[in-house]
Amino acid sequence: MSFSLQQLIRKNIASLKPYASARDEFSGNASVFLDANENSLGSPLLKWYNRYPDPHQKKLKSVISSVKSVPATQIFLGNGSDECIDILFRIFCEPGIDNVIICPPTYGMYEVSATINNIEVRRSPLTSNFQLDTIHLENLVDVHTKIIWLCSPNNPTGNSLNRADIETILNNFNGIVVIDEAYINFSRQKSFIQELMDYPNLIILQTFSKAWGLAGLRLGMAFAQEAIIEIMDKVKPPYNINQVTQDLAVEALQEVGMVNDMIKEIVAMREALAKVFQQIPVIEKVYPSDANFLLVQVKNAPSVYNYLLTKGIVVRDRSNVQLCEGCLRITIGTETENTLLVDALAAIE
Ligand SMILES: *Cc1c(COP(=O)(O)O)cnc(C)c1O
């Protein structure tokens, strides 16, 4: 059997006639817009926010296209990656019938979104060195397996998945393979984005929330071949990316140099912090990281977590997560914040 997008998508989605917004129905030159029931007088804010945003995000996509070297037709934008994740479940997975595979420990939203959509989740845990168990994973696949969710670099473990393993899955699985690359900018590994044309079943997720420093805007990107992007566009709410986000993201994308500098600085601080952590008695293990956080194993994680809270420092307690027993996930902060953290941890015992 080979990959067939038409067979993978749910029947109701295949036959869906998308909502045509006022701005879709009219294309051409006009100066008087009386088609969308907006407030023609203006708004208390900047004048143009009285208008609905561009449902196709044309300007923003063209700028992303040139920054990422991916045609605009292969880009989908979501209200955060979280919206992209939800839309993929709704396109491909029939509630109560289909299933997906995740590789824990990993990002929690794949499972939450699956549960909201009443989709069975099958688990292929990572190995002890946080890599894919491809044989186990492939044994979980049946005719109802629609999506395999991979996260590389992975949250919360911080490492990248072996490229050869990902390629094996892309080549052998006839369903959708999602690679969540939220942390790719902090990684030594290269993105799969240049491989898009080789794999009709590949969807790559990236986000403005991490390296771009724009978590507050809620803007996620999905990259795939055009056929998949067209279906995602059909299913999304017409105005899912608001005009403020579209305008500010276009502005931010002019600052690639500044963002690259921040990435370099964060990676340098990550490496320095990992070294310092190794000298701190309460820290038993520092895992290698390709992301903007460090996973560390500490003595009595919940009590270290609570102790840090008393110092006003919040980290993520992952000690109850399988394969992350005793671990805290710590985001790289500013130089000042990192020093506060190190001083607090060094004072234990
Ligand atoms: C932070 C993160 C995201 C980002 O989600 P947004 O909705 O775009 O903020 C996506 N995937 C992973 C694995 C993450 O850790």
Side-chain angles (χ1 to χ4, degrees):
M1 215 185 76
S2 61
F3 179 80
S4 161
L5 187 60
Q6 281 316 305
Q7 277 171 29
L8 269 183
I9 60 181
R10 295 167 64 199
K11 289 199 174 60
N12 60 312
I13 301 298
S15 61
L16 173 71
K17 194 178 173 302
Y19 174 75
S21 70
R23 290 296 122 83
D24 282 313
E25 305 243 291
F26 173 80
S27 64
N29 281 322
S31 54
V32 181
F33 289 100
L34 306 177
D35 57 346
N37 299 345
E38 297 144 333
N39 185 336
S40 302
L41 304 188
S43 82
L45 302 175
L46 294 172
K47 170 89 179 157
W48 51 89
Y49 290 129
N50 61 338
R51 299 296 178 186
Y52 279 102
D54 173 9
H56 309 294
Q57 306 109 15
K58 283 206 191 70
K59 171 75 182 154
L60 177 52
K61 279 187 179 175
S62 84
V63 181
I64 293 174
S65 166
S66 59
V67 169
K68 297 280 176 185
S69 304
V70 173
T73 50
Q74 293 175 26
I75 303 171
F76 172 85
L77 299 177
N79 191 330
S81 302
D82 291 347
E83 186 181 46
C84 302
I85 294 168
D86 178 67
I87 282 179
L88 292 175
F89 276 107
R90 289 192 283 144
I91 290 173
F92 293 106
C93 302
E94 197 63 43
I97 294 176
D98 288 333
N99 67 73
V100 300
I101 297 174
I102 65 169
C103 303
T106 192
Y107 187 47
M109 277 310 288
Y110 315 137
E111 181 156 6
V112 170
S113 203
T115 305
I116 290 169
N117 286 288
N118 192 22
I119 304 304
E120 180 198 348
V121 173
R122 298 186 172 186
R123 287 175 187 75
S124 180
L126 298 176
T127 61
S128 56
N129 56 346
F130 299 146
Q131 289 299 328
L132 296 172
D133 183 344
T134 49
I135 305 215
H136 178 266
L137 192 155
E138 283 174 9
N139 282 330
L140 292 180
V141 173
D142 70 10
V143 293
H144 295 299
T145 306
K146 294 300 179 71
I147 306 177
I148 296 175
W149 295 91
L150 304 177
C151 185
S152 183
N154 187 42
N155 177 5
T157 59
N159 65 300
S160 299
L161 302 176
N162 290 333
R163 204 172 175 86
D165 291 342
I166 297 178
E167 285 165 352
T168 299
I169 293 168
L170 279 166
N171 285 314
N172 293 304
F173 178 56
N174 288 319
I176 297 294
V177 179
V178 177
I179 309 177
D180 186 341
E181 294 188 336
Y183 299 98
I184 192 68
N185 307 86
F186 306 105
S187 173
R188 285 158 278 233
Q189 306 289 317
K190 68 178 193 345
S191 166
F192 267 85
I193 215 164
Q194 300 313 323
E195 266 59 59
L196 275 180
M197 291 322 288
D198 292 339
Y199 300 107
N201 57 342
L202 170 61
I203 300 175
I204 296 164
L205 300 183
Q206 293 186 7
T207 179
F208 281 78
S209 298
K210 308 288 156 68
W212 284 92
L214 295 170
L217 290 194
R218 310 306 302 131
L219 185 59
M221 297 169 273
F223 304 97
Q225 291 188 9
E226 199 171 337
I228 291 178
I229 299 298
E230 280 173 2
I231 303 165
M232 295 180 79
D233 278 333
K234 211 163 81 152
V235 171
K236 80 177 181 71
Y239 304 115
N240 64 327
I241 311 296
N242 71 71
Q243 195 60 48
V244 183
T245 294
Q246 292 191 40
D247 293 346
L248 292 178
V250 167
E251 247 182 77
L253 284 156
Q254 312 306 311
E255 305 296 336
V256 178
M258 182 215 177
V259 173
N260 282 335
D261 288 346
M262 289 200 290
I263 292 166
K264 273 197 202 119
E265 195 178 340
I266 289 166
V267 168
M269 288 194 293
R270 177 187 78 203
E271 298 310 305
L273 203 56
K275 281 215 184 78
V276 175
F277 277 175
Q278 265 146 14
Q279 309 304 315
I280 295 179
V282 79
I283 296 180
E284 289 175 322
K285 180 162 186 177
V286 184
Y287 289 90
S289 173
D290 266 348
N292 65 342
F293 58 83
L294 286 166
L295 186 73
V296 297
Q297 191 177 49
V298 297
K299 295 175 189 143
N300 198 348
S303 86
V304 173
Y305 173 82
N306 284 315
Y307 159 80
L308 287 174
L309 280 185
T310 68
K311 302 279 175 187
I313 301 169
V314 192
V315 298
R316 192 94 154 116
D317 184 359
R318 299 282 83 184
S319 59
N320 290 327
V321 173
Q322 235 181 47
L323 290 176
C324 294
E325 288 86 2
C327 287
L328 302 176
R329 191 195 71 192
I330 303 176
T331 308
I332 308 305
T334 64
E335 205 74 68
T336 312
E337 290 168 339
N338 298 338
T339 303
L340 287 171
L341 171 77
V342 166
D343 290 349
L345 287 171
I348 297 177
E349 279 182 343

